[in-house]
Amino acid sequence: MKNDSLEHIQSQERLLDQQLEESVYEEKKLRHLQEENEEFFFKTNQVFDGVLEQFSQNQFAWYLEDQLAGLRHDHQRLQFAFEEEFQEQKQQRQSIEEQQNDLAFERVRLQSQVEKMEVQP
């Protein structure tokens, strides 16, 4: 009975290890997407600034300024979404780590009980 419980705990620990690895991988992917977004925004912002400088005395400057403002708004919205996702990933990882700690404690407790039963005549 105790061995079945230990095996179950070890199975759960392996599952949580896998979930933690997946969470770390997802966070790395998210960071990469955030970096790509930053690079794209920077390059696009430079292009808009250059074009706006060329057309500053033109009647279409307002249109470019409006487009640039839209780009900045979209960038801020994406940054907010990234931060929300990072927080969610952090909470998920913390939950997994707490479950791992609980299972490790339970495993040690069961192992000590098994050892005590084996020592007793």
Side-chain angles (χ1 to χ4, degrees):
M1 176 90 172
K2 301 255 188 224
N3 285 336
D4 290 342
S5 295
L6 281 173
E7 289 175 13
H8 177 72
I9 288 173
Q10 290 170 341
S11 170
Q12 290 296 105
E13 286 176 324
R14 286 189 297 273
L15 180 63
L16 287 172
D17 286 342
Q18 183 181 8
Q19 289 176 351
L20 187 60
E21 286 177 19
E22 289 172 1
S23 178
V24 169
Y25 175 73
E26 289 298 319
E27 188 173 340
K28 285 180 182 179
K29 280 187 1 185
L30 193 59
R31 291 244 181 254
H32 180 71
L33 286 173
Q34 184 182 33
E35 288 170 6
E36 286 181 350
N37 177 56
E38 283 298 315
E39 186 177 329
F40 177 77
F41 174 73
F42 178 74
K43 288 178 180 179
T44 306
N45 200 35
Q46 282 184 321
V47 168
F48 265 96
D49 283 342
V51 171
L52 189 56
E53 190 175 301
Q54 293 293 319
F55 290 95
S56 63
Q57 302 302 321
N58 192 306
Q59 63 181 343
F60 298 109
W62 65 269
Y63 173 77
L64 294 171
E65 289 170 350
D66 188 48
Q67 293 299 310
L68 184 57
L71 176 68
R72 289 181 178 147
H73 174 74
D74 289 346
H75 180 257
Q76 288 175 341
R77 185 179 48 79
L78 284 171
Q79 285 301 100
F80 181 73
F82 278 123
E83 290 306 317
E84 282 185 332
E85 189 64 30
F86 282 129
Q87 287 299 322
E88 196 174 300
Q89 288 290 328
K90 181 180 178 181
Q91 289 173 347
Q92 180 182 17
R93 191 174 59 249
Q94 287 175 339
S95 173
I96 291 169
E97 289 170 349
E98 287 173 5
Q99 290 175 21
Q100 285 177 320
N101 290 337
D102 292 344
L103 283 173
F105 177 77
E106 184 65 20
R107 179 177 35 80
V108 169
R109 188 184 67 75
L110 281 174
Q111 284 174 336
S112 68
Q113 284 180 353
V114 167
E115 288 171 3
K116 284 179 184 177
M117 292 177 69
E118 290 173 353
V119 171
Q120 293 178 353

